[in-house]
Amino acid sequence: MGDDHVLEAMEAMDFDKHPSGIVPIIQNIVSSVNLDCKLNLREIAQKARNTEYNPKRFTAVMMRIKEPKTTALIFASGKIVCTGAKTEQQSKLAAKKYARIIQKLGFPAKFKNFQIQNIVGSCDVKFAIRLELLSVSTHGVFASYEPELFPGLIYRMMNPKTVLLVFASGKIVIAGAKVKDEVYAAFEKFFPVLTQYRRK
Amino acid sequence: MVWCSNCAKNISRPDYVEGKICCSLCGRVLDEDNFSNEPTFVKNAGGQSQLSGNYVKTIQSDYSLSRERILNEAYNGIESLIYALGIDGGDSIARPALAFYKIAVERNFTRGRRKEQVEASCLYIACRENKKPYLLIDFSEHLRINVYVLGAVFLQLCKLLSLEEHPVVQKPVDPSLFIHRFTDRLFGGRKPNVSRTALHIVASMKRDWMQTGRKPSGLCGAALYISALSHGLKCSKSDVIKVVHICEATLTKRLIEFENTESGGLTIEEFNLKAEELQKEGLMKAPCSGSNTSETTELLCEHKGTGKPPFAHGLCESCYNEFIKLSGGLDGGSEPPAFQRAERKRIMAMEAAADNTENPSCLTSPSPAENKSKCLNFNKEGYIKHTSEDENEQAMESESTGASAHHKIDDSANDKIDGVDAAAEESESLSDIDDLEVDGYLHNEEEKHYKKIIWEEMNKEYLEEQALKEAAALAAKKAYEANFQNCPEDAQKLAAAAAAAVAKSKKERQQKRAAELKNSVPAQTAAEATRQMLTKKRLSSKINYDVLDKLFDESVISEDAKKSRTDLDSCNDDKPVQHRERDLEQEDNYNEKEVYNYYDDYVYNVL
């Protein structure tokens, strides 16, 4: 984690790309890949380390690897869902490792259709936000704020199609993006809106 | 009470005789109705059986009997909720709630959901509309379900009724509404002083940004507690907790937060004075709209289109004042507590960073990584797995810091390479993964053996269920086969094929369909699209596809043809169509419009 920060500091603050001066940090990437062969989950659960298989609860094997620190859901149809990586490359590397493990267990696994399904990022704008005003104002059509149920305001942006969770403390969570740049773009689009409702 | 015209007065207790209503004084038959649930038949003059009497339509509405029942039960449920929670307003709340419920039923929202939850959600929307001070948590307490479960149903209902952008749901709940109700519950009667002070406290909390993101009940509880104690009324924390539905930890937290605000340091008299001053000020104060009016000159609040001038932030004056009242405005006060906590953490982190003496080495390590990534980039054109593997190994050997740098190189290299991969191969090779590491993730023989035993032990029930299922399936199959042993061979083959088709599980069929949908290319022409639709829907096996292509050669479709929508399986039309086609070609007298009508009849028959 620390290395990522160092890398980012090394990239000069690109004010063309991040006019707000804040770069959201990517927290999680969910990806999927098709091994294109039927798997015997019982065998996998018994032969591989770090696996959990509880068929009564969920019909997939949960496998974990230490580097990159990720978790995978392996289904009998041969599809794998890989979560927990912090960058796209790590996610692909992890997915490849899982596929290799399955290969070594004796299944003819391939690596088809690797696709990133979801990228989650978070950041801090460092000023307080009046969520009540945001929910009734011009942007209220996209916003859903129910303090009885959730302390944050849920803002659904159409383009790029993402969901932003806005909290009164100024912390923002951006989810639903398929590409890292979408996360940045969504945040940059939203930042000027936020400044309107900041505490003066 | 029936009116008898003979006696010229109302008869309180008429006689009911054989389906006739008779006056008990004079015996005159006033009304004759014989309702029965069973149809009875009588022989008429011709000797044929005929239904005696006729069907009577239900008097009420065009709802079916079961729908009536559902709505009645729902009304009873809503009324019982109103009674249990003590919501005043009676019918004026129940009727709108029932109206929402009716829509929900029609849109199949009640299917798969507990009807009490749907009733409660409908009632909650009605309450919110009428500004009744009831929270979701009150309903969930009565129904004994998790408030988030009920909240989910409520949100889904709002989506269904398209109320998401409606101000009723948009505007968050105002904590001030609840003060009176909670005061009543706490002290068993109205205490105007306590309520007033509590309202002032809540307003002050709003100004100090304690309210944003919090449940309104927590703020109310804290305000009431302070207000009650300051007026000398005996009131313990546990009393407040029971009334307001929060836990003690939350109450304590809110009290501490309030203490930390400016107003927290004042005495009660000072506080009241300040509150009254602020109220007067607030009415005269102009909003600091500065930059906002220049941007949003359009009115976007609920009064859109009424011609009121926009005051600030796209709201008209009344909406803006409402907002100020609701939330305490944008300026002033203290930062929200969550923000304060974040600030504190940031300050601590900065101090910690300043204390540590940073190693200059960690700043130099990225630079060798950068050099290596440049070398790798040159190779990206002719991506050969071996070279990248070699370079990775080299990198691993020559790096100074640990595995993290190795992956940094991987990342930066793969960054450019991945794009080429996806284009080149559909299924990628995995030979760039370190075998040693992967082997470490597999069990050896002994471990496998033990794990097998352990897993089977843990999942015993599941295995038993599976065994039972298989045994049942096998038995069924055997019984099925036994039936057909005596039949001739052909029939047996047929039976086997049929069994295979049935055995092919629904899931597989669904998956196949989904795959087909995904892979299907969108049709290029109208004719293709129709053909695809016909094969997909399998409407009729007697479709003439040649005519189908000809159909779309003409560009105009007349609208008269739309009237003639007949049955799908009118395959009789096919034969006459073919004959008539030939006739048309021979005779040129037919004008084009008739031809079009004709083809369109055909199309609509098939569709």
Side-chain angles (χ1 to χ4, degrees):
Chain A
M1 254 286 265
D3 300 317
D4 289 349
H5 285 290
V6 174
L7 246 186
E8 279 172 35
M10 291 304 290
E11 290 173 25
M13 179 60 74
D14 189 356
F15 276 100
D16 295 327
K17 198 173 169 200
H18 304 284
S20 63
I22 304 174
V23 185
I25 301 170
I26 305 294
Q27 302 287 2
N28 182 22
I29 298 191
V30 178
S31 57
S32 68
V33 69
N34 188 1
L35 300 182
D36 212 20
C37 72
K38 295 267 178 274
L39 304 175
N40 184 340
L41 294 184
R42 222 183 281 184
E43 225 184 287
I44 297 175
Q46 288 170 0
K47 289 190 185 167
R49 283 183 216 254
N50 298 344
T51 54
E52 285 168 37
Y53 180 40
N54 212 337
K56 272 188 111 179
R57 212 152 20 111
F58 191 55
T59 49
V61 169
M62 261 203 293
M63 197 189 286
R64 296 185 163 84
I65 56 174
K66 294 200 186 79
E67 189 59 53
K69 188 158 180 288
T70 48
T71 308
L73 293 172
I74 304 171
F75 292 86
S77 61
K79 300 219 168 91
I80 299 186
V81 175
C82 171
T83 62
K86 292 269 189 277
T87 70
E88 293 104 316
Q89 298 79 21
Q90 279 185 9
S91 194
K92 188 157 194 181
L93 180 67
K96 284 196 174 175
K97 287 198 180 165
Y98 288 114
R100 195 89 180 94
I101 296 174
I102 303 289
Q103 248 182 15
K104 289 233 150 180
L105 286 173
F107 297 96
K110 299 186 210 56
F111 197 76
K112 275 193 171 179
N113 289 345
F114 175 79
Q115 224 187 6
I116 296 198
Q117 302 288 356
N118 183 20
I119 302 185
V120 179
S122 74
C123 61
D124 192 354
V125 297
K126 302 200 171 65
F127 55 77
I129 306 164
R130 246 324 168 199
L131 301 178
E132 297 91 343
L133 185 53
L134 185 50
S135 77
V136 296
S137 70
T138 74
H139 299 274
V141 276
F142 308 113
S144 158
Y145 174 52
E146 229 18 80
E148 289 180 57
L149 295 172
F150 189 63
L153 183 146
I154 302 168
Y155 189 91
R156 291 180 198 273
M157 194 181 279
M158 292 280 104
N159 182 10
K161 192 158 184 296
T162 48
V163 176
L164 291 97
L165 299 177
V166 185
F167 294 92
S169 57
K171 304 227 183 196
I172 316 283
V173 173
I174 307 135
K178 291 268 192 282
V179 187
K180 197 166 69 168
D181 285 334
E182 273 180 25
V183 173
Y184 298 145
F187 177 68
E188 290 306 323
K189 252 188 162 181
F190 197 56
F191 189 71
V193 177
L194 278 179
T195 48
Q196 278 187 318
Y197 303 106
R198 69 184 292 172
R199 183 180 162 273
K200 305 270 191 290
Chain B
M1 191 74 73
V2 212
W3 172 261
C4 174
S5 45
N6 205 15
C7 311
K9 63 177 182 176
N10 275 323
I11 311 293
S12 52
R13 262 176 267 132
D15 291 330
Y16 294 94
V17 179
E18 288 178 7
K20 300 190 240 294
I21 300 177
C22 310
C23 168
S24 42
L25 292 175
C26 61
R28 184 189 164 99
V29 174
L30 301 168
D31 202 356
E32 187 169 0
D33 267 325
N34 207 339
F35 289 108
S36 109
N37 280 334
E38 317 267 303
T40 38
F41 296 93
V42 289
K43 279 221 164 77
N44 63 4
Q48 292 189 318
S49 291
Q50 202 180 40
L51 181 72
S52 65
N54 23 26
Y55 284 116
V56 177
K57 211 173 145 192
T58 44
I59 311 160
Q60 285 274 5
S61 48
D62 45 355
Y63 288 137
S64 70
L65 198 61
S66 78
R67 182 58 65 88
E68 277 292 317
R69 224 183 306 141
I70 292 176
L71 291 174
N72 281 335
E73 280 177 20
Y75 187 69
N76 290 338
I78 291 174
E79 287 233 314
S80 73
L81 271 172
I82 290 179
Y83 181 67
L85 292 172
I87 304 176
D88 56 348
D91 225 23
S92 65
I93 302 284
R95 287 283 155 208
L98 186 66
F100 288 131
Y101 193 87
K102 217 185 286 184
I103 303 175
V105 171
E106 280 166 15
R107 308 270 231 111
N108 283 335
F109 186 75
T110 43
R111 286 203 196 167
R113 291 188 179 84
R114 298 201 186 278
K115 70 168 199 251
E116 313 133 345
Q117 293 181 11
V118 183
E119 284 166 18
S121 306
C122 294
L123 186 54
Y124 179 63
I125 298 179
C127 281
R128 210 143 145 182
E129 212 175 346
N130 290 318
K131 299 231 191 301
K132 299 280 174 208
Y134 290 92
L135 293 167
L136 264 178
I137 202 159
D138 298 318
F139 291 99
S140 74
E141 185 206 24
H142 180 257
L143 294 174
R144 293 166 181 279
I145 50 178
N146 188 351
V147 68
Y148 299 112
V149 169
L150 186 60
V153 175
F154 164 69
L155 287 172
Q156 285 161 7
L157 184 62
C158 286
K159 203 171 178 190
L160 180 81
L161 300 173
S162 305
L163 283 176
E164 281 170 321
E165 296 160 30
H166 195 270
V168 162
V169 177
Q170 280 282 58
K171 289 204 196 109
V173 175
D174 189 357
S176 325
L177 287 173
F178 300 90
I179 295 291
H180 293 294
R181 187 174 141 242
F182 287 141
T183 331
D184 284 351
R185 282 187 71 180
L186 199 54
F187 299 113
R190 302 214 138 232
K191 298 256 183 241
N193 297 341
V194 178
S195 299
R196 212 180 326 130
T197 323
L199 279 170
H200 289 323
I201 296 177
V202 170
S204 156
M205 284 177 174
K206 283 183 192 171
R207 277 193 300 276
D208 289 328
W209 288 66
M210 263 177 70
Q211 170 225 24
T212 315
R214 266 73 182 285
K215 289 204 175 82
S217 40
L219 293 174
C220 295
L224 257 181
Y225 183 67
I226 298 171
S227 158
L229 288 179
S230 62
H231 282 274
L233 285 166
K234 194 165 181 229
C235 154
S236 71
K237 278 191 183 167
S238 42
D239 293 335
V240 177
I241 284 167
K242 266 184 244 163
V243 167
V244 171
H245 306 299
I246 56 175
C247 76
E248 194 177 336
T250 318
L251 182 60
T252 319
K253 228 183 184 183
R254 297 282 174 269
L255 292 171
I256 294 173
E257 282 170 9
F258 184 64
E259 205 183 327
N260 291 335
T261 66
E262 285 178 26
S263 323
L266 306 168
T267 67
I268 262 301
E269 294 85 13
E270 288 174 359
F271 182 75
N272 278 334
L273 277 171
K274 191 176 178 203
E276 266 145 42
E277 275 176 29
L278 275 167
Q279 263 190 343
K280 284 185 210 142
E281 251 183 64
L283 293 169
M284 303 186 294
K285 204 169 155 193
C288 48
S289 37
S291 55
N292 296 318
T293 44
S294 56
E295 287 175 41
T296 51
T297 47
E298 200 195 325
L299 193 64
L300 283 151
C301 63
E302 59 175 326
H303 298 117
K304 193 174 183 178
T306 55
K308 284 194 190 167
F311 202 50
H313 298 282
L315 301 172
C316 66
E317 184 167 353
S318 55
C319 280
Y320 185 73
N321 286 338
E322 227 183 293
F323 153 69
I324 292 288
K325 212 177 76 174
L326 173 67
S327 62
L330 271 179
D331 42 323
S334 4
E335 302 274 20
F339 183 74
Q340 289 176 11
R341 245 173 288 143
E343 275 286 313
R344 246 174 275 150
K345 279 195 197 142
R346 272 193 283 268
I347 294 170
M348 284 201 301
M350 282 204 306
E351 287 173 8
D355 286 341
N356 287 341
T357 48
E358 283 282 53
N359 260 345
S361 61
C362 71
L363 290 169
T364 57
S365 63
S367 39
E370 276 180 50
N371 288 336
K372 290 201 176 68
S373 70
K374 282 187 197 143
C375 306
L376 290 171
N377 285 344
F378 286 130
N379 285 324
K380 79 170 191 233
E381 251 67 65
Y383 171 67
I384 308 164
K385 298 124 203 172
H386 305 296
T387 47
S388 92
E389 213 179 343
D390 285 343
E391 274 154 28
N392 278 349
E393 279 179 289
Q394 275 178 7
M396 212 156 51
E397 289 170 293
S398 53
E399 66 174 48
S400 48
T401 43
S404 53
H406 167 61
H407 284 292
K408 248 188 260 169
I409 296 163
D410 262 0
D411 295 349
S412 47
N414 290 344
D415 204 13
K416 305 289 167 70
I417 291 167
D418 280 355
V420 181
D421 267 358
E425 314 162 52
E426 202 192 20
S427 164
E428 298 174 38
S429 144
L430 304 166
S431 52
D432 53 339
I433 304 291
D434 185 13
D435 269 2
L436 209 64
E437 191 187 348
V438 170
D439 281 333
Y441 282 116
L442 303 174
H443 282 316
N444 57 29
E445 282 306 322
E446 199 188 318
E447 289 174 349
K448 273 189 219 170
H449 177 69
Y450 285 127
K451 186 142 188 207
K452 186 157 189 248
I453 298 175
I454 295 171
W455 188 85
E456 284 182 357
E457 185 63 37
M458 286 183 69
N459 290 293
K460 225 193 294 190
E461 296 162 9
Y462 176 73
L463 291 170
E464 281 171 13
E465 276 176 30
Q466 293 294 84
L468 278 172
K469 261 197 218 171
E470 275 180 36
L474 213 65
K477 198 177 165 198
K478 278 210 177 131
Y480 195 72
E481 280 175 6
N483 282 342
F484 287 96
Q485 261 176 5
N486 302 328
C487 293
E489 215 188 278
D490 292 330
Q492 262 188 342
K493 277 194 196 155
L494 201 67
V502 168
K504 203 179 199 176
S505 66
K506 222 183 183 183
K507 209 176 176 189
E508 274 187 25
R509 252 184 280 144
Q510 266 185 357
Q511 283 180 341
K512 201 175 123 194
R513 226 176 284 156
E516 269 176 34
L517 258 171
K518 239 194 235 175
N519 294 338
S520 62
V521 182
Q524 298 293 341
T525 67
E528 252 188 71
T530 322
R531 197 189 292 255
Q532 277 187 359
M533 184 273 303
L534 289 172
T535 43
K536 196 174 114 185
K537 292 216 171 166
R538 282 173 283 156
L539 295 167
S540 164
S541 57
K542 298 182 175 70
I543 298 172
N544 187 342
Y545 286 103
D546 300 326
V547 184
L548 184 65
D549 285 330
K550 280 203 198 145
L551 213 61
F552 287 96
D553 285 341
E554 279 90 23
S555 42
V556 177
I557 296 178
S558 102
E559 288 188 6
D560 300 331
K562 284 186 186 162
K563 285 184 216 153
S564 54
R565 280 192 192 230
T566 53
D567 269 359
L568 298 166
D569 281 1
S570 49
C571 29
N572 297 327
D573 285 340
D574 289 329
K575 300 250 171 70
V577 165
Q578 287 170 352
H579 287 304
R580 282 190 228 174
E581 260 189 58
R582 276 183 242 126
D583 288 346
L584 280 172
E585 283 165 344
Q586 287 166 11
E587 291 177 307
D588 298 328
N589 299 356
Y590 282 122
N591 46 356
E592 299 217 324
K593 203 166 183 204
E594 273 185 14
V595 171
Y596 294 152
N597 283 348
Y598 201 62
Y599 280 172
D600 297 319
D601 273 351
Y602 179 72
V603 171
Y604 284 106
N605 287 341
V606 166
L607 294 174

